[in-house]
Structure formats: structure tokens, C-alpha cells
Amino acid sequence: MAAQAVAWLLVAVAGFRGALNADFSKAPSDSGKGMKATCPEIILRQEVLKDGFHRDLLIKVKFGESTEDLQSCRLLIKQSIPTGLFVDPYELASMQEKNMTEAVVVSDNFNIEAPSYLSKESEVLISVRRDARCTGCFHAFLPVHYRYHRPHSEDAETLIVVSSPDLLMSCDQEFRVLECWAQAEVAAPCALKSQDICQWSSLQYRLIHKNVILRVPVGLTVHTSLVCSVTLLVTILCSTLILVAVCKYGNVSL
């Protein structure tokens, strides 16, 4: 009896192991999900440097994986500029000659003299450069300036929200990690100075700060009469002094 019980027990254990192995062999493979879950992270951070009406927008990008395989890839930042700010294209051209930054305004009918309430949003493409001080780090630099804002009746300041940018990448060959990061295809110039259009991959990233908020001081409407009066008096005084100096030292007869 004891021998029979042991034999039946061995048969039951063998049958359980066979069923368990069969269940695992039939289970669907989730290797694709596992690869997606372990995608290396891209971290993006926006900072605003300097004080006053002339600022510098600094964008830092950190790749969570070694970038040795991405030597043949190019990175671009597509940054939307709100109506309260403007980018001077002549300043960008001068800075590009000095190799300080590489950026171009891609919006049409762009007016740097218009006040905020008469201007439209614009877009700027910025070339992203490697940061030699950090492995897997890149950065982009853009000077921005405040526009004139309409006076307020109560608040002495207004807010400007700088939205998060698009991070674009174009590679000469395909990489698995690029497929992991890419979320859409975006048309953009093949190079900042080129008229040709290429397809770029818009990359997913984790943003450190959701939006950059700038506080701009504005005038108060209750001061309109005072400001206009003082401005008119100063203009008349300066014009009179210039006229007197011209008549006295310029040998001009009236």
C-alpha cells in the first residue's frame, strides 16, 4: 500500500509540472513591452538667465543612454516664442558669426518693433550643441527680449509663459533607441541655412519645469497724464537746447 501511494504521488507531481510548463509555453511574449518600459530617459530643462528686459533662454538636454551611437545624429530645438517676447534675427546672425549660438527665426511677417498686443507668436529653430562638461548632455542658447505691453489699470506687471519646446532628431541611420524615443514625424529644414525640408523625429522627454513664467513690469493707466506731460516738457526743453547750441556754435543765421 505504501509503495502504491508513493507511485501515485510521483505521477501527480509529474503531471503538475507538465501542465505548468505548457502554460508558460502558451503565454504571450511581452518582450516588446519590456523594451518600451526600459526606454532610456531624456531629461529637458529650461532656464532663463539675466535680469531686466533682455534675457537668455538656456535649454539643457540630458540623454539617459550613452550617445556614442548617435554621432551621426543632429538635434534641433523648435521653440515657440510668445507674443510678449521677440527674438532679434540680426542679433542671431551676429552671434552665429562669433560661434556663440546657431538659431534662425522661421516665422513670416515677423516684426521686432510691434508691441505685444499687435504681435503674433513666432517660432525659432535652435541648433543643439554637445556639452563637453557632461557626458550625454547637450544645450541650446537663445537671447530673448521683452516687447512693450499695454498699461494695466491695477497690476503693475504681466506674466509671459514660455511653453516647452519640441526636441527634434535626425539620424543618417536607424537605431533601436531612436524608435523608442520617437513619437511623431515633423517637417523642418534639413539645416538652419538650408531651404530643403527633411523629416525629423519628435522625441519624448521628461520636463523638469512644465513652463517658464516671466514677470514683466508694465505701466499703470492712472499715470498716463503725468507721463505724457513730463515727456512733452522734456522734449521741448531738449529741442530748445539743441536749437540754441546750433545757433551759437553752428554759424547758422535765422
Side-chain angles (χ1 to χ4, degrees):
M1 293 293 293
Q4 269 188 339
V6 171
W8 279 108
L9 181 61
L10 292 176
V11 171
V13 170
F16 175 75
R17 288 179 177 176
L20 188 62
N21 291 333
D23 290 339
F24 273 118
S25 63
K26 294 178 182 178
S29 173
D30 60 349
S31 59
K33 294 181 180 180
M35 182 182 67
K36 204 68 177 180
T38 57
C39 282
E41 191 175 47
I42 303 176
I43 301 175
L44 188 142
R45 181 188 183 95
Q46 289 178 297
E47 298 180 11
V48 177
L49 310 178
K50 297 183 180 179
D51 297 321
F53 278 67
H54 308 282
R55 303 292 189 94
D56 291 332
L57 178 63
L58 180 63
I59 302 173
K60 299 180 180 179
V61 181
K62 169 69 174 177
F63 285 85
E65 182 168 296
S66 174
T67 57
E68 294 179 358
D69 295 336
L70 305 179
Q71 296 292 335
S72 64
C73 298
R74 293 167 294 158
L75 280 174
L76 276 183
I77 289 289
K78 186 178 181 182
Q79 179 68 58
S80 176
I81 306 298
T83 58
L85 297 175
F86 74 90
V87 176
D88 189 346
Y90 303 103
E91 181 184 17
L92 294 181
S94 176
M95 297 182 70
Q96 187 167 335
E97 292 179 355
K98 300 175 182 177
N99 199 30
M100 297 176 62
T101 188
E102 191 174 357
V104 62
V105 179
V106 295
S107 300
D108 297 329
N109 300 323
F110 181 72
N111 186 0
I112 63 175
E113 301 293 340
S116 62
Y117 49 88
L118 295 179
S119 63
K120 299 179 180 180
E121 289 189 359
S122 57
E123 286 188 346
V124 178
L125 290 177
I126 319 167
S127 179
V128 182
R129 301 182 176 185
R130 290 181 179 270
D131 191 342
R133 298 169 297 179
C134 174
T135 304
C137 295
F138 297 78
H139 69 272
F141 168 76
L142 182 70
V144 295
H145 311 277
Y146 291 162
R147 290 185 182 272
Y148 291 107
H149 289 73
R150 194 187 298 274
H152 287 185
S153 59
E154 296 180 359
D155 296 331
E157 65 178 15
T158 187
L159 301 180
I160 300 177
V161 179
V162 181
S163 60
S164 57
D166 293 333
L167 180 60
L168 309 180
M169 176 178 281
S170 177
C171 299
D172 296 335
Q173 53 184 327
E174 296 183 358
F175 298 100
R176 180 193 63 82
V177 69
L178 180 59
E179 297 177 357
C180 186
W181 286 328
Q183 60 179 352
E185 293 293 321
V186 177
C190 300
L192 293 186
K193 295 183 179 180
S194 174
Q195 299 295 329
D196 299 330
I197 300 299
C198 296
Q199 292 297 317
W200 295 69
S201 297
S202 179
L203 305 184
Q204 303 178 52
Y205 59 81
R206 180 168 66 88
L207 192 63
I208 297 298
H209 300 295
K210 186 175 181 181
N211 289 313
V212 174
I213 300 179
L214 304 176
R215 299 181 180 272
V216 184
V218 297
L220 296 176
T221 54
V222 295
H223 298 156
T224 301
S225 300
L226 176 62
V227 171
C228 291
S229 300
V230 172
T231 303
L232 181 60
L233 290 175
V234 171
T235 303
I236 295 174
L237 177 61
C238 293
S239 300
T240 303
L241 292 176
I242 293 174
L243 183 60
V244 170
V246 170
C247 294
K248 185 176 182 180
Y249 302 104
N251 296 324
V252 178
S253 58
L254 297 179

